[in-house]
Amino acid sequence: MPSYTVTVATGSQWFAGTDDYIYITLVGTERCSERTLLDKPLYNDFERGAVDSYEVRVKENLGEIVLVKIEKRKYWLHDDWYCRYITVKTPSGDYVEFPCFRWLVQDNEVVLRNGRAHLPQDDKTSLVKQHRTSELKMRRKTYRWSEWQPGFPMSIDAERHKDLPRDIQFDSEKGVDFVLNYSKAIENLFVNQFMHMFQSSWSDFADFERIFVKITNTISEYVMKHWKEDFMFGYQFLNGCNPVVIQKCTKLPDKFPVKNEMVAVSLERDLTLQQEIKEGNIYIADYEVLDGICPNCTDPCTKQFLAAPICLLYKNIQNKIMPIAIQLGQIPGKDNPIFLPTDGEYDWLLAKIWVRSADFQHHQTVTHLLRTHLITEMFAIAMYRQLPAVHPAYKLLIPHVRFTIAINTKAREQLICECGIFDKANATGGGGHVQLVQKAMKSLTYRSLCFPDMIKSRGVEKQEELPTYFYRDDGYKVWEATRSFVSDVMSIYYTSDERVQGDDEIQAFVKDVRNFGMQDTEHCEFPKSLKTREELIEYLTIVVFTASAQHAAVNFGQYDWCSWIPNAPSTMRKPPPDKKGLADVKLIIESLPDRGRSSWHLGAVWALSQYQENELYLGMYPDEHFIEKPVKEAMEKFRKQLVEISSTIKNRNEGKRLPYYNMSPDKIPNSVAV
């Protein structure tokens, strides 16, 4: 009587084990085994982290094992189980791997295919075709699109984290409770005494040190000491939290009438402003997207204000980016003066603070929330709906969307919802952040998610012109390594452009992103289909890069750059100055966040800058969705490239007062999960 040895691996995360009954059915090309209970006498089966083996006896050989069916049935109370994988040893001694990496909940069953990736056009038998179809049919019922706010990218149809499918929930919801984490951060930072002191201003700049945690020789300490300096202000456009706004100025916009005589004293090359523009030494940061956004009015005791400034920047002879003119509104006029470095000390300082506050709003809502969190969730939902587990693109993407839908659902539940934490300290709280995303969506294009295109579109691609733009330089390296990895893997399965065109599932994935995720807005220019391998490789590279490197670059530096409150005010309590000569220390302090909002802001940037426990960094793939040797070789090559990039970045940072490491692969998590 033939015998098959079935090895079952249970997950090692909390509560992964089960006491429920587990049954297995082996499905071969010739016949099926009987439904068999996996149970060993006097043994505690399926404990957390366990790898257990069982014998499945059959009357006749089953042929090639194509599918494995696992069923979980209640023993006493329903006890969820996380199955990592199943391996079947055939009577002839061959091993067949069946990756699972799924939760079985209630009285549930899953049907697994062997671990080899297959395109839909390669499935020939009705058995595997039917399995593929039924899996996607079930997934589309489970992963439904929903519009959280009009004009947003579509999100998952779940109001709370606990409503999500178990497979995409966090292992422990407690670990991602924003209220709990922010409260912990506030306690750890010793700012409890200030967190309820709304409307209470600090006494002077030094007073902010009462909530500032000094960590010697760090960026945050350097920012605290040098935040008033023009060099520090300009440097952040290149390597701060929001290094995506600066662009080369080829022509001054009419709405920003800076004259040569205004800035001549700041120019160092004996050239006029127009000549400097022609030489490529002038840059601009325009926060037009903030114009018309309603400021937070959830607290009737504190008026809050927003501005939509324009800042002119100059690359001096030392290649430093220096601010030379700031206008705090979009419409020029007497009540909207152009502030200059030659103005009074506090007029110029207050103008820079307003730019930093606008940059903070843009960073949090557009660069961070919209362009990494929400966009990655959109890709993830389309992936679950249109790509079965056997598809190579699913296997490639699944590690890079881990926990993203969960963290976003939790954010909609606690952070960015009405009366959420975001409302407590941010000028765009109370609905302004919703308006801002809606407005920013109108300029979000597919090409702007492609890192090299995004850099080039702003005219900042040349290393010799901006030699200290480390975000760009490191980003190029990580993008190329990621693209090379995606190409190596996808080329195994797509040997021609025709293979891409003939893949109905990948075409449905791309179509779902555009038609539902982006709601088929014409301006977005997301592709409706993919015609070549190169297009497919670029598309998947965008997904992986956005979820990993781009998110890391704009997320994990938040405490570095935003913990010193005057450098990144989350709100402003006085309107932008409409004339020069008004500013003094008193006005600036009264404009900056009060003690309560400062404390909530500090707790937020601390919590958001923390890595997850057991973080998986770029290139780490402990869940073996792929079993093919060529893919594993591609992964190893990718890891070696990432190690080299990390080493190069580490060497460059040696001795720097302001090291840049946010794009270092050893600090880039695989996915958006915080």
Side-chain angles (χ1 to χ4, degrees):
M1 183 180 287
S3 174
Y4 292 79
T5 303
V6 174
T7 301
V8 183
T10 297
S12 57
Q13 60 268 62
W14 288 105
F15 313 114
T18 187
D19 288 327
D20 282 356
Y21 296 113
I22 303 298
Y23 296 88
I24 194 165
T25 305
L26 305 180
V27 181
T29 50
E30 300 294 328
R31 56 190 60 82
C32 299
S33 72
E34 292 185 4
R35 179 175 180 258
T36 304
L37 174 65
L38 300 181
D39 181 48
K40 287 189 271 191
L42 304 175
Y43 178 76
N44 202 345
D45 304 279
F46 311 113
E47 287 290 281
R48 174 182 163 215
V51 179
D52 301 315
S53 293
Y54 304 87
E55 294 297 314
V56 175
R57 298 190 179 278
V58 297
K59 292 176 181 177
E60 294 181 81
N61 198 296
L62 305 179
E64 181 187 347
I65 304 298
V66 182
L67 303 173
V68 166
K69 180 180 178 181
I70 318 168
E71 299 172 70
K72 186 177 77 67
R73 295 294 179 258
K74 184 170 69 172
Y75 169 66
W76 184 248
L77 296 171
H78 283 299
D79 190 12
D80 296 351
W81 177 48
Y82 186 85
C83 175
R84 284 179 52 77
Y85 63 83
I86 291 175
T87 302
V88 178
K89 182 184 177 185
T90 67
S92 62
D94 294 329
Y95 288 85
V96 189
E97 296 178 50
F98 293 85
C100 184
F101 305 109
R102 289 177 61 183
W103 286 94
L104 279 77
V105 299
Q106 302 293 323
D107 283 341
N108 192 13
E109 63 182 52
V110 295
V111 180
L112 306 175
R113 276 187 69 173
N114 76 55
R116 292 192 173 279
H118 294 274
L119 298 182
Q121 59 264 49
D122 294 336
D123 281 346
K124 303 303 180 186
T125 67
S126 59
L127 185 65
V128 291
K129 285 181 178 179
Q130 188 177 352
H131 173 261
R132 203 168 188 128
T133 303
S134 61
E135 181 185 1
L136 288 179
K137 187 177 179 182
M138 181 62 70
R139 289 254 209 90
R140 286 169 194 143
K141 287 181 181 177
T142 306
Y143 297 88
R144 301 173 305 277
W145 291 110
S146 176
E147 185 180 63
W148 186 66
Q149 294 286 351
F152 271 48
M154 295 282 269
S155 52
I156 196 75
D157 184 13
E159 290 187 7
R160 297 161 299 180
H161 179 268
K162 67 181 183 181
D163 300 331
L164 292 171
R166 184 68 182 90
D167 285 330
I168 60 170
Q169 290 182 22
F170 281 102
D171 296 332
S172 167
E173 189 175 358
K174 185 179 177 184
V176 289
D177 187 293
F178 284 107
V179 174
L180 184 65
N181 288 349
Y182 280 32
S183 300
K184 269 188 198 170
I186 287 164
E187 187 177 332
N188 292 339
L189 296 166
F190 306 107
V191 295
N192 316 53
Q193 59 182 311
F194 302 114
M195 63 181 291
H196 300 297
M197 296 175 69
F198 293 93
Q199 292 84 51
S200 172
S201 296
W202 302 96
S203 54
D204 54 32
F205 296 133
D207 205 20
F208 281 99
E209 291 189 44
R210 294 176 68 184
I211 63 164
F212 182 74
V213 179
K214 281 190 184 178
I215 306 171
T216 308
N217 296 324
T218 58
I219 290 174
S220 55
E221 186 188 45
Y222 194 87
V223 170
M224 182 198 75
K225 291 177 179 175
H226 299 277
W227 70 281
K228 293 181 185 178
E229 298 171 22
D230 286 356
F231 155 72
M232 176 59 76
F233 177 87
Y235 180 83
Q236 292 177 77
F237 286 103
L238 300 178
N239 301 310
C241 272
N242 198 30
V244 299
V245 177
I246 186 173
Q247 55 184 332
K248 183 172 281 188
C249 180
T250 54
K251 181 181 180 297
L252 276 173
D254 294 339
K255 64 182 181 180
F256 192 25
V258 180
K259 307 295 182 192
N260 181 66
E261 55 269 23
M262 293 179 178
V263 297
V265 69
S266 298
L267 308 179
E268 299 179 352
R269 293 181 177 84
D270 293 326
L271 300 173
T272 66
L273 177 60
Q274 286 304 320
Q275 289 169 330
E276 292 278 18
I277 290 173
K278 194 173 180 182
E279 289 293 313
N281 297 320
I282 302 296
Y283 295 84
I284 194 167
D286 188 351
Y287 296 90
E288 183 179 14
V289 71
L290 285 161
D291 193 34
I293 302 298
C294 297
N296 192 337
C297 58
T298 57
D299 181 357
C301 299
T302 303
K303 282 200 79 172
Q304 298 177 63
F305 299 89
L306 286 166
I310 314 171
C311 181
L312 203 63
L313 301 157
Y314 175 59
K315 184 184 72 173
N316 68 14
I317 56 176
Q318 295 176 303
N319 286 321
K320 292 180 179 177
I321 295 295
M322 308 290 277
I324 58 173
I326 293 171
Q327 182 177 286
L328 297 180
Q330 292 287 311
I331 302 172
K334 288 184 179 179
D335 58 351
N336 188 18
I338 295 174
F339 292 93
L340 307 165
T342 50
D343 292 338
E345 175 188 357
Y346 295 116
D347 279 339
W348 181 235
L349 181 61
L350 182 56
K352 289 191 293 179
I353 288 171
W354 268 104
V355 174
R356 293 295 309 138
S357 184
D359 191 74
F360 179 82
Q361 311 304 332
H362 182 278
H363 164 260
Q364 289 289 11
T365 305
V366 179
T367 306
H368 184 206
L369 173 63
L370 171 59
R371 296 180 69 91
T372 63
H373 277 260
L374 300 184
I375 288 297
T376 303
E377 178 181 7
M378 177 188 72
F379 285 128
I381 297 168
M383 180 203 76
Y384 281 115
R385 287 171 53 81
Q386 305 299 344
L387 300 178
V390 74
H391 197 288
Y394 176 92
K395 291 171 179 281
L396 177 82
L397 295 181
I398 188 72
H400 299 287
V401 299
R402 177 176 177 258
F403 297 147
T404 300
I405 298 174
I407 196 69
N408 287 2
T409 303
K410 202 71 185 167
R412 287 187 287 268
E413 193 180 339
Q414 292 184 321
L415 188 62
I416 57 174
C417 55
E418 191 174 345
C419 302
I421 294 172
F422 199 81
D423 289 357
K424 289 186 180 292
N426 292 279
T428 48
H433 60 302
V434 173
Q435 287 181 300
L436 191 49
V437 169
Q438 290 166 335
K439 197 170 179 183
M441 271 289 285
K442 293 174 182 173
S443 60
L444 193 158
T445 64
Y446 174 71
R447 300 264 30 117
S448 72
L449 296 174
C450 177
F451 187 81
D453 286 28
M454 179 267 287
I455 294 290
K456 193 171 184 179
S457 70
R458 294 187 285 112
V460 291
E461 71 275 15
K462 293 181 181 175
Q463 206 268 344
E464 63 272 18
E465 292 184 357
L466 288 173
T468 59
Y469 197 6
F470 304 129
Y471 162 76
R472 171 204 58 206
D473 298 341
D474 299 351
Y476 275 152
K477 292 184 181 78
V478 178
W479 171 272
E480 282 306 316
T482 304
R483 190 190 176 286
S484 175
F485 169 59
V486 171
S487 177
D488 287 347
V489 175
M490 289 298 107
S491 296
I492 295 168
Y493 306 99
Y494 296 95
T495 52
S496 66
D497 293 343
E498 288 72 26
R499 297 272 288 166
V500 176
Q501 295 162 20
D503 183 347
D504 293 339
E505 289 168 352
I506 205 74
Q507 301 298 341
F509 165 62
V510 169
K511 192 174 180 181
D512 213 18
V513 167
R514 181 188 168 103
N515 290 358
F516 289 92
M518 291 297 293
Q519 301 192 57
D520 204 19
T521 49
E522 282 301 321
H523 70 269
C524 75
E525 299 167 1
F526 273 64
K528 296 177 181 177
S529 62
L530 299 175
K531 294 182 173 58
T532 68
R533 272 200 313 180
E534 284 305 306
E535 288 177 358
L536 172 64
I537 289 163
E538 182 181 72
Y539 196 101
L540 297 178
T541 303
I542 284 173
V543 180
V544 174
F545 186 88
T546 301
S548 55
Q550 183 60 19
H551 177 256
V554 302
N555 181 74
F556 292 103
Q558 290 188 73
Y559 189 78
D560 286 344
W561 296 102
C562 304
S563 56
W564 181 246
I565 308 296
N567 186 60
S570 60
T571 191
M572 298 291 277
R573 297 180 297 139
K574 294 287 183 184
D578 57 6
K579 56 172 70 86
K580 299 183 181 185
L582 296 178
D584 55 17
V585 172
K586 183 174 182 292
L587 176 62
I588 293 175
I589 292 296
E590 289 175 352
S591 298
L592 288 168
D594 54 40
R595 294 168 192 252
R597 288 178 175 83
S598 296
S599 299
W600 275 101
H601 166 87
L602 194 65
V605 298
W606 173 273
L608 290 169
S609 300
Q610 303 307 302
Y611 291 95
Q612 293 276 342
E613 262 189 88
N614 305 315
E615 190 72 81
L616 295 176
Y617 294 95
L618 191 58
M620 293 172 63
Y621 303 117
D623 291 355
E624 294 190 16
H625 292 276
F626 284 106
I627 66 167
E628 294 94 322
K629 187 178 177 183
V631 180
K632 292 184 178 181
E633 289 171 351
M635 288 177 176
E636 187 56 34
K637 175 186 166 186
F638 184 38
R639 279 190 283 269
K640 285 180 180 176
Q641 288 179 312
L642 295 175
V643 168
E644 288 173 10
I645 295 168
S646 296
S647 178
T648 301
I649 292 171
K650 184 181 179 183
N651 291 337
R652 181 200 64 210
N653 285 336
E654 286 292 331
K656 284 194 184 303
R657 293 173 301 176
L658 288 172
Y660 184 76
Y661 44 74
N662 293 334
M663 273 279 197
S664 183
D666 57 352
K667 295 184 182 295
I668 297 175
N670 264 334
S671 63
V672 178
V674 63

